[in-house]
């Protein structure tokens, strides 16, 4: 690799203008593509596979209205008075104009909406009396039904009793008739027998005959028969009555059957009436529940001085063109007057208007000053800056062009610019510093350019490769937007390396000896005229090797204290409160919060999915069931039904929590609603899902937490492998990797203290402390790893080279530090300056990134690499460079510093 870079440096020096014009042409081509590609940037952080994102994807497929992009516009009276009718008309007219824009699907007039909400509120206020009336009617109807049922039961009982009495009488008559017939038969038999006796005694006269007695008996029998006849007549009359009664019974039975049929019909009518009454009661109660859920929801403040309008786009907000958002802002700004303030949510105003702001430019100026102090000439100081700008122009334009085919966040190109500026300056400086050192040693310009490119350029390529691998490894997290940011950052690093080893030599060759200051050129001439040898790097002790124990313990104490706030770190995504205080996004956020409560900025979208379509008759019951469950969750202020999908299997609800987007209470609301899935299944046979900013925060943080250990293990493993390859040591990689972990912990602690706790907020413009950007820890680990390896490489390679060439272990450490610490210090200051400039970026999402990288570089370069690692190496002595022989044979010799190239050139 060093031989290739050596020849590449020679070519660039000989064909300087060809190389320069080639880079300018590349900038022009990619810039033209970026300007015409129409790339857009989203503020949304999405992670595929999470509940929140899957819900959004489902809505986009099945419920297009629910997936429309939303922008909020706040109208506020500045004179402390309510909106006038004229002002309301003007606002409504402006919203109508916006509705007619091609990219806008609909607008929601706050005054019209609030009137509807107020009418619902009035219904709820009057509901108790109406409910009493309705309940009385229901109760009266129920009483009539109950009386009808009672009368029906009594009629049926009376009919049954009559039938029993008739049958009993019939049985009694039949029994009496049987007895009479038996008595008449007996009497007739007696009469015949008596008559026979009378006839006998009449024909045979006998004074002692029984004739008188028989005659008396006959008279008695005749009397009995006469009585039987009388009884028979009585029975006949009774039978006639019974027959008549039975005829009446039969007639009554027929009437009873008809009555039963009538009663059955009446029962059916009563059942229908009961069902209608039950439906009425259910509908009434469901309407009560749904309307009660909207009680606390408002779009016009109670003092009538703030109104929130909604603009609905035809596509999701991430797909809305910047020009279309600007058209909405322009149209609605016409409603602003001396007394009406118009502010817009960050979704409508955030764009990639510029990659560099005042803070970033100040950082570049500071870097240029550091370069001038170090190099002593404006020409030399300007070269690394120019080289970095060339690389950034290409990587920045490429990321903008990429956004036309890949969904990118607003942070992505800015991150590429940030890294490109920092490493571009540093990599150019490393090569330039080597070239200047060689020139001052008496080497010719062409030869020095080629050798510097083959040695330091090789180190730069290797260092860049470590950063590229670390950033590209962000794709291992499985998080799309984070992987894209890593890929874009890796691309920016790759371009910076290529520019450093091609554009740099070309410019250096044109500058010739002017790359040295006049004083340095005079000193060189004097030394050559007197044949003096170049100054040799000293091996005198530095503080870290003179007081290794003190240095080690003090450094660990400082890093440990800085890491303490990390224990309280919370992750989240930025909301409008993190925008600059003079921005419309910040004003819109706080006007909304003041007028409608914190939760108005944290609305959740709850999706209830039924396995079967929800009929129109069941619609209100479905909404009431969901509303009842949602309003039962702690810290839920209101629940507003949002309609049904085309296939009527999905119902949506906008839930307003009590807390803001990043409040822990809002996160708990999301968890509680998701925990209602079984209750939703039981109540309305539906599955519940939640999306919205707070839900996305939870899912992103969870996904990142799961991915972080894998990523950290990958980075640490890579760190150990790379350093074993370069330094042929076991202990140095372990110490350097441990130092990297200390850097990460201390940096994250500092970020937490500043951005979450608000420490030094006055200095860094942290006006509303909030949770830390959710993806920052993972991304920070990747970037800081690469940069830490850069510094370790430039510092420890000189140490190892000195140790291999026979210097004692301590002298080798001192030699390596004195050889490279000035350029590493300058490089670190430059990086801190460049990254620090982004702390005041116009893009608030990039601010904690800039602070974290600046703090990380500051800690890693000045505490870990220049103090902790040398002190630990001093305590280990020669063992610091120990490597098992079997492992030494396996590991390839990468020759990062290009020592073989130097030896081969020296032999020629």
């Amino acid at each position: 690799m060093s031989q290739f870079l050596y020849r590449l440096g020679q070519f660039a020096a000989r064909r300087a203008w060809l190389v320069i014009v080639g880079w300018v042409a590349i900038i022009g081509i990619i810039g033209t593509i970026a300007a015409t590609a129409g790339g857009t940037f989203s503020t949304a952080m999405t992670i595929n596979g999470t509940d929140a994102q899957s819900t959004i994807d489902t809505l986009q497929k099945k419920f297009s209205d629910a997936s429309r992009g939303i922008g909020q516009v706040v109208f506020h009276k500045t004179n402390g008075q309510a909106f006038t009718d004229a002002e309301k008309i003007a606002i409504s007219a402006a919203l109508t104009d916006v509705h007619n824009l091609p990219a806008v699907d609909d607008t929601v007039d706050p005054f019209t909406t609030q009137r509807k909400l107020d009418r619902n509120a009035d219904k709820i206020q009057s509901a108790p009396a109406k409910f009493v009336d309705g309940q009385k009617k229901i109760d009266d109807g129920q009483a009539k039904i109950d009386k009808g049922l009672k009368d029906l039961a009594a009629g049926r009982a009376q009919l049954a009793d009559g039938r029993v009495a008739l049958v009993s009488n019939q049985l009694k008559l039949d029994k009496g008739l049987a007895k009479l017939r038996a008595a008449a038969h007996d009497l007739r038999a007696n009469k015949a027998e008596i008559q026979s006796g009378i006839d006998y005694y009449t024909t045979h006269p006998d004074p002692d005959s029984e004739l008188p007695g028989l005659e008396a008996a006959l008279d008695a029998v005749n009397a009995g028969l006469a009585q039987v006849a009388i009884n028979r007549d009585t029975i006949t009359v009774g039978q006639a009555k019974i027959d008549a009664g039975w005829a009446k019974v039969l007639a009554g039975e027929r009437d009873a059957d008809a009555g039963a049929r009538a009663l059955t019909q009446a029962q059916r009518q009563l059942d229908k009436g009961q069902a209608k009454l039950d439906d009425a009661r259910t509908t009434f109660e469901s309407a009560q529940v749904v309307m009660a859920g909207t009680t606390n929801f408002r779009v016009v403040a109670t003092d009538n001085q703030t109104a929130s309008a909604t603009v609905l786009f035809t596509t999701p907000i991430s797909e809305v063109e910047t020009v279309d958002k600007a058209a909405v802002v322009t149209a609605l700004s016409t409603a602003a007057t001396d007394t009406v303030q118009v502010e817009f949510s960050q979704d409508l105003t955030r764009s990639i208007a510029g990659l560099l702001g005042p803070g970033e430019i100040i950082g570049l100026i500071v870097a240029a000053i550091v370069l001038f102090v170090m190099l002593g000439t404006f020409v030399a100081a300007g070269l690394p800056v120019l080289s970095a700008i060339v690389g950034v122009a290409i990587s920045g334009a490429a990321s903008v062009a990429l956004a036309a085919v890949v969904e990118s966040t607003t942070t992505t190109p800015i991150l590429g610019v940030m890294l490109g500026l920092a490493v571009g300056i540093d990599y150019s400086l490393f090569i330039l510093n080597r070239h200047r050192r060689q020139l001052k040693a008496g080497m010719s310009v062409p030869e020095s350019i080629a050798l510097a490119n083959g040695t330091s350029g090789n180190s730069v390529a290797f260092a860049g490769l470590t950063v590229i691998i670390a950033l590209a490894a962000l794709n291992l997290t499985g998080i799309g937007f984070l992987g894209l940011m890593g890929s874009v950052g890796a691309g920016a690093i790759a371009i910076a390396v290529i520019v450093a080893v091609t554009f740099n030599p070309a410019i250096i060759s044109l500058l010739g000896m002017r790359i040295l200051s006049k004083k340095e050129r005079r000193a060189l001439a004097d030394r050559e005229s007197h044949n003096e040898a170049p100054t040799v790097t000293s091996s005198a002790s530095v503080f870290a090797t003179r007081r290794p124990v003190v240095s080690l313990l003090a450094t660990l104490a400082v890093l440990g204290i800085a890491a303490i706030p990390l224990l309280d770190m919370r992750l989240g995504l930025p909301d409008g409160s993190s925008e600059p205080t003079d921005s419309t996004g910040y004003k819109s956020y706080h006007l909304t919060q003041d007028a409608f409560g914190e939760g108005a900025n944290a609305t959740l979208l709850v999706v209830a999915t039924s396995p079967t379509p929800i009929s129109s008759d069941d619609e209100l019951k479905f909404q009431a069931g969901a509303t009842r469950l949602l309003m039962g969750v702690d810290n839920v202020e209101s629940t507003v039904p949002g309609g049904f999908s085309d296939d009527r299997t999905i119902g949506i609800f906008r839930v307003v929590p009590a807390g803001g987007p990043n409040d822990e209470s809002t996160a708990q609301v999301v968890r509680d609603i998701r925990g209602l899935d079984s209750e939703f299944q039981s109540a309305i046979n539906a599955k519940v899902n939640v999306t919205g900013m707070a839900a996305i925060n939870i899912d992103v943080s969870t996904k990142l937490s799961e991915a972080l250990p894998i990523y950290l293990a990958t980075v640490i493993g890579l760190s150990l492998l790379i350093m074993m390859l370069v330094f042929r040591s076991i202990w140095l990689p372990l110490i350097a990797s441990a130092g990297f972990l200390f850097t990460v912990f201390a940096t994250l602690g500092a970020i937490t203290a500043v951005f979450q706790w608000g420490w030094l907020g006055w200095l860094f413009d942290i006006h509303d402390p909030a949770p830390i950007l959710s993806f920052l820890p993972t991304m920070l680990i990747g970037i800081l790893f690469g940069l830490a390896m850069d510094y370790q490489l430039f510092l420890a390679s000189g140490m190892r080279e000195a140790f291999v060439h026979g210097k004692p272990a301590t002298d080798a450490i001192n030699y390596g530090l004195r050889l490279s610490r000035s350029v590493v210090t300058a490089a670190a200051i430059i990086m801190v300056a460049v990254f620090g400039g982004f702390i005041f970026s116009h893009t608030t999402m990039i601010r904690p990134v800039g602070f974290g990288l600046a703090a990380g570089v500051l800690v890693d370069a000045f505490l870990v690499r220049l103090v902790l690692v040398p002190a630990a190496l001093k305590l280990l002595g020669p063992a610091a460079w120990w490597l098992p022989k079997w492992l030494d044979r396996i590991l390839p010799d990468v020759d990062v510093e290009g020592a073989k190239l130097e030896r081969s050139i020296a032999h020629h």
Side-chain angles (χ1 to χ4, degrees), residues 32 236 241 289 345 419 443 591 653 710 717 749 801 844 896 900:
T32 302
T236 301
K241 290 180 179 180
V289 171
S345 65
L419 294 175
M443 191 176 288
L591 284 173
F653 303 84
I710 298 174
E801 195 69 22
T844 55
V896 174
K900 292 180 181 178

Side-chain angles (χ1 to χ4, degrees), residues 218-350:
L218 181 61
D219 291 339
V221 167
N222 288 330
L225 289 173
Q227 187 61 46
V228 167
I230 293 170
N231 288 342
R232 183 182 291 114
D233 291 340
T234 301
I235 289 173
T236 301
V237 173
Q239 182 66 53
K241 290 180 179 180
I242 288 174
D243 291 341
W246 190 251
K248 290 181 180 179
V249 168
L250 292 177
E253 181 69 28
R254 288 192 296 272
D255 292 342
D257 290 340
R261 289 192 294 273
L263 287 173
T264 300
Q265 184 65 29
Q267 180 69 58
R268 293 196 188 99
Q269 294 298 324
L270 289 172
D271 291 341
K272 289 181 180 179
Q274 183 70 60
K276 288 182 179 180
L277 287 173
D278 290 340
D279 289 342
R281 182 186 289 109
T282 300
T283 301
F284 187 77
E285 291 174 351
S286 297
Q288 281 285 97
V289 171
V290 172
M291 288 192 293
T294 65
T295 300
N296 296 326
F297 180 78
R298 299 188 63 84
V299 291
V300 177
T302 53
D303 61 4
N304 203 23
Q305 295 180 24
T306 305
S308 177
T310 302
V311 178
L312 300 169
F313 293 95
T314 56
T315 59
I317 195 67
S318 60
E319 300 174 13
V320 179
E321 301 283 348
T322 302
V323 65
D324 293 323
K325 295 179 184 178
V328 170
V329 172
T330 300
L332 290 177
S333 295
T334 59
T337 65
D338 292 339
T339 58
V340 176
Q341 175 185 356
V342 183
E343 304 295 349
F344 303 90
S345 65
Q346 58 183 357
D347 288 329
L348 287 175
T349 55
R350 183 180 288 170

Side-chain angles (χ1 to χ4, degrees), residues 36 52 83 127 158-159 308 353 396 401 408 426 444 451 519 564 588 621 647 710 727 772 831 844 901:
T36 57
F83 286 104
Q158 186 177 359
L159 178 62
S308 177
S408 300
D426 277 7
S444 67
L451 184 59
K519 180 180 179 181
I564 290 174
S588 171
K621 182 180 178 182
D647 63 2
I710 298 174
F727 304 123
I772 305 305
M831 278 202 175
T844 55
L901 175 64

